Amino acid sequence: MAQGDQVVFQRLDLAEILGIWRHARGRIVGIHQQSGHSATVDVKFEGHETLERYLADLFQLVH
């Protein structure tokens, strides 16, 4: 994933818990590389605060 990529939640149950529409598309607005750990991403969904430092595995790219 790269900054600006459009993504959706891979885990729809998590989207629902956060109050985000199941198939809402968000954008990667930040990437945090951590030595020895999985990278985390910041994702912005329209109408919601930016989700900060979520595991990238929770999202899938929109093609």
Side-chain angles (χ1 to χ4, degrees):
M1 288 187 194
Q3 191 155 342
D5 281 352
Q6 192 172 52
V7 296
V8 295
F9 270 103
Q10 189 159 269
R11 289 199 36 208
L12 300 179
D13 59 327
L14 184 56
E16 288 181 0
I17 289 168
L18 293 170
I20 296 173
W21 184 59
R22 294 179 66 113
H23 301 290
R25 295 175 181 207
R27 291 250 177 228
I28 302 289
V29 295
I31 298 174
H32 308 276
Q33 299 293 337
Q34 300 174 351
S35 180
H37 299 285
S38 298
T40 58
V41 293
D42 300 339
V43 181
K44 178 65 181 153
F45 287 88
E46 188 173 327
H48 296 274
E49 292 185 28
T50 301
L51 304 176
E52 296 182 356
R53 294 190 178 263
Y54 276 65
L55 292 173
D57 293 347
L58 296 175
F59 303 94
Q60 66 184 44
L61 291 173
V62 175
H63 300 281

